[in-house]
Amino acid sequence: MALTTKSVKPKIVALAGGVGGAKLATGLQAALPPGCLTVIVNTGDDFEHWGLSICPDLDTVLYNLAHLNNPEMGWGRQDEAWTVLGEMARFGGEEWFRIGDRDLALHLRRTEWLRRGLSLTKATDRLRRLLGIPSVILPMCDEPVRTLVHTEEGDLPFQHYFVRRRCEPALVDISFVGAESATLSPEVQKALYAAELVIFCPSNPYVSIDPILSVPGLRDFLRRSSTPKVAVSPIVGGQALKGPAAKMMRELGEMSSPLTVVDHLGDVLDGFVIDRTDAELAGAVILPTLVTDTIMTDLASKERLAQEILTFGFSLKATALLAA
Ligand code: FO1
């Protein structure tokens, strides 16, 4: 029987980065009563552009949870206009990273607040309230942690690798500059302590999930916690649903397979979710595994997947309690 999560008020934490993360977060928000979901978001992709503080993964989660996202691009606002970008080009400004007119307002406001001394956590909370989002959205930390991609063509800051170079240079390694000085914010700590289930969204394990786990104390907390932790594979049929995860796996000498995701994150997980396409791999996964349709095309499919993951995650909790 499906757990009716709308009639109880469980505290759920989702770890997210990129488009896949934002999609599942949207499904979880739809499946849960208001206020039950906290999304902890990767900020390793953040950078300064046009003098503004840009936080791409926070933006993607904010726009998705507010139902203002551009579904074709996967990032940015729907009904976007590009007047400022065109004018920037006229004045010799950088055009490779496209900031739309509507999107620009958010970056201007956030930059203003950060310059006045507000933390990224507080600035994000203001934005989500102004957008009418019922879920809590937290940056993984308030200190700057920057993903640096080491490639065969040299080191590239994340957005230069991802957007400017379209992930073309072959990957050698990845580091998270500044991670050693980052701390778990009180808000992230509170969310993790209260969590009854932690869900790793189908996000890139190397450049969306690893930066979150690089915040000192977070990985250890999850490893020691008895709260069930479930990850959804971002790899389906050997391909990433979106982005460079499969290409990165191959360049790191790994198979582009859900099994590589389990190998990578397995020490913090209690359960794993794979797509029906990969059903024959379920027996090789060392964790309890849910096999289901993980492709999210519309709000109904996001909510259906979220509901199945919640039921699966709570069944792991029940099994652990019975065994205790
Ligand atoms: N992604 C692109 O592929 N091209 C862009 O020009 C681009 C602009 C952009 C502006 C604001 C924002 O919040 C995100 C933007 N993204 C763009 C998405 C983003 O860079 C990536 O999807 C993430 O960093 C990867 O998770």
Side-chain angles (χ1 to χ4, degrees), residues 18 45 54 56-57 59 75 96-99 103 107 158-159 162-163:
D45 298 12
I54 314 286
D57 285 358
D59 300 341
W75 49 270
W96 59 272
F97 192 82
R98 293 184 294 146
I99 294 181
D103 188 25
H107 306 304
F158 183 78
Q159 294 301 337
F162 191 89
V163 176

Side-chain angles (χ1 to χ4, degrees), residues 14 16 21-31 37-41 57-69 128 131-138 201 299 302:
K23 280 183 169 184
L24 183 58
T26 307
L28 288 165
Q29 179 173 273
L37 176 67
T38 298
V39 192
I40 299 178
V41 182
D57 285 358
L58 282 172
D59 300 341
T60 304
V61 170
L62 283 162
Y63 290 148
N64 272 266
L65 293 191
H67 305 289
L68 292 172
N69 60 300
R128 74 102 181 165
L131 289 169
I133 298 169
S135 308
V136 175
I137 303 174
L138 298 174
C201 291
L299 184 58
K302 291 171 194 166

Side-chain angles (χ1 to χ4, degrees), residues 55 65 142 150 154 184 257 293 298 309:
C55 306
L65 293 191
D142 281 320
H150 308 282
L184 286 175
S257 159
D293 182 3
D298 54 12
I309 295 166

